[in-house]
Structure formats: C-alpha cells, structure tokens
C-alpha cells in the first residue's frame, strides 16, 4: 500500500511526451486527446523549459503558440523525493503536476491523478478539491467566490447551469 513515504520514482509516469514551444494550441489539444494525457512538458533540444496543462489549452486561442501560455520555468521534484514532499511542492506552487528529475534529466511526471490512483489524494490535497463534484483533477480556486472548482464545474458555474450533484450527497 502506498503512503506519503512512497518514493516519487515508484509512482511517476515514466514515458513523458513533450511538445515544442511553437506548437499551436489546436495541435496540442489534439495531442492530449490522442495520448490521453493532461499535462505536457514544453521542450527545446530535449530540455524542459515549461509545462502546459489541458486547462490552459482549453482557455486559449486555438492558433496561439504553446509558448505564450506555458508555465515557465517548470516546477519539478527529484525522483527520490517522497510523495508527501511532492504534494507539498504542488500545493506551494499551485500546480497539478511536477516534472520528475533524476541526475538533472527529465525522467518522469507526477500528477494529481497519480495521487488518486495510489489512494493519497485526500491526504495530499484535503480540501483542495472541487466544491461541486469533489474531484481533485484540474482544480483551481475561483477568485470570484472563493470556492475550488474543476474545469468542468467552473464552466457550468460561469454559464449559469445547475451544479452537478456532489458525490458525497451534499
């Protein structure tokens, strides 16, 4: 069973797919769908210079280059760090993924999905979950109301649609 003492290297996704900073948003969105991924390192000459999340891509102009919306420099964690440290680092920087480095080389990526997969999301992120659906994926604080919403629920709130039913019955 995984604990906060589990090493990042034992949980991370090792096959990391990166994109060029000049890739257009429309192509990056197609890439995320084709590979079923939500966070993309932005790389030049094999070196990660930023990260872009599907949340960012969905809000951007389809013809914009990824470099205009990537988060740079990328937030990273050492492969030997423990998951509790990774969670604290994610929370401190307000990100949903960390690039995993080993000997100064990109060796993987760890996301909130990985925390959920190993049963540590509640311990790691606590109340940093969607106020509507209770999910942990792509959750951001809505400055207008002070609630955390995932991308899907935020879109419903902004459009005036009814809230989705919360999974905990509230």
């Amino acid at each position: 069973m995984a604990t906060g003492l589990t090493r990042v290297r034992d949980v991370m996704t090792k096959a990391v797919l990166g994109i060029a900073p000049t890739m257009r948003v429309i192509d990056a969105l197609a890439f995320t769908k084709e590979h079923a991924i939500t966070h993309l390192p932005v790389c030049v000459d094999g070196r990660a210079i930023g990260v872009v999340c599907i949340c960012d891509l969905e809000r951007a102009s389809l013809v914009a280059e990824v470099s205009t919306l990537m988060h740079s420099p990328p937030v990273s964690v050492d492969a030997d760090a423990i998951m509790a440290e990774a969670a604290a680092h994610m929370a401190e920087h307000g990100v949903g993924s960390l690039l995993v480095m080993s000997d100064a080389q990109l060796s993987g990526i760890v996301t909130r999905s990985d925390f959920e997969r190993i049963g540590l999301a509640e311990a790691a992120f606590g109340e940093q979950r969607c106020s509507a659906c209770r999910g942990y994926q792509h959750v951001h604080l809505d400055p207008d109301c002070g609630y955390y919403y995932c991308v899907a629920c935020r879109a419903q709130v902004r459009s005036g649609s009814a809230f989705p039913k919360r999974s905990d019955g509230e």
Side-chain angles (χ1 to χ4, degrees), residues 18-99:
I19 58 174
T22 55
M23 181 180 269
R24 291 181 311 146
V25 167
I26 191 168
D27 298 323
L29 281 167
F31 189 83
T32 63
K33 288 183 175 128
E34 176 184 348
H35 296 285
I37 53 179
T38 57
H39 294 86
L40 295 165
V42 179
C43 302
V44 172
D45 297 326
R47 185 176 57 87
I49 62 166
V51 175
V52 67
C53 173
I54 195 168
C55 300
D56 304 316
L57 295 170
E58 289 175 342
R59 292 188 300 233
S61 164
L62 295 177
V63 296
E65 288 188 354
V66 169
S67 63
T68 64
L69 54 130
M70 71 181 182
H71 300 274
S72 184
V75 182
S76 63
V77 65
D78 189 88
D80 288 324
I82 60 173
M83 291 300 285
E85 292 170 332
H89 204 50
M90 288 171 87
E92 175 185 343
H93 291 279
V95 296
S97 68
L98 298 171
L99 297 185

Side-chain angles (χ1 to χ4, degrees), residues 129-132 139-149 154 163:
R129 63 192 312 178
C130 181
S131 297
V139 174
H140 301 280
L141 184 64
D142 186 321
D144 294 333
C145 65
Y147 289 110
Y148 285 98
Y149 289 120
R154 182 180 308 114
F163 264 126

Side-chain angles (χ1 to χ4, degrees), residues 13 36-39 53-55 58-59 90 94-98 109-122 124-141 148-155:
T13 299
I37 53 179
T38 57
H39 294 86
C53 173
I54 195 168
C55 300
E58 289 175 342
R59 292 188 300 233
M90 288 171 87
V95 296
S97 68
L98 298 171
I109 189 168
V110 65
T111 69
R112 284 181 174 230
S113 296
D114 295 314
F115 284 88
E116 281 192 294
R117 181 174 47 81
I118 64 171
L120 293 179
E122 177 85 29
F125 304 111
E127 288 306 307
Q128 282 187 358
R129 63 192 312 178
C130 181
S131 297
C133 71
R134 306 303 287 160
Y136 288 102
Q137 301 306 311
H138 306 284
V139 174
H140 301 280
L141 184 64
Y148 285 98
Y149 289 120
C150 67
V151 172
C153 292
R154 182 180 308 114

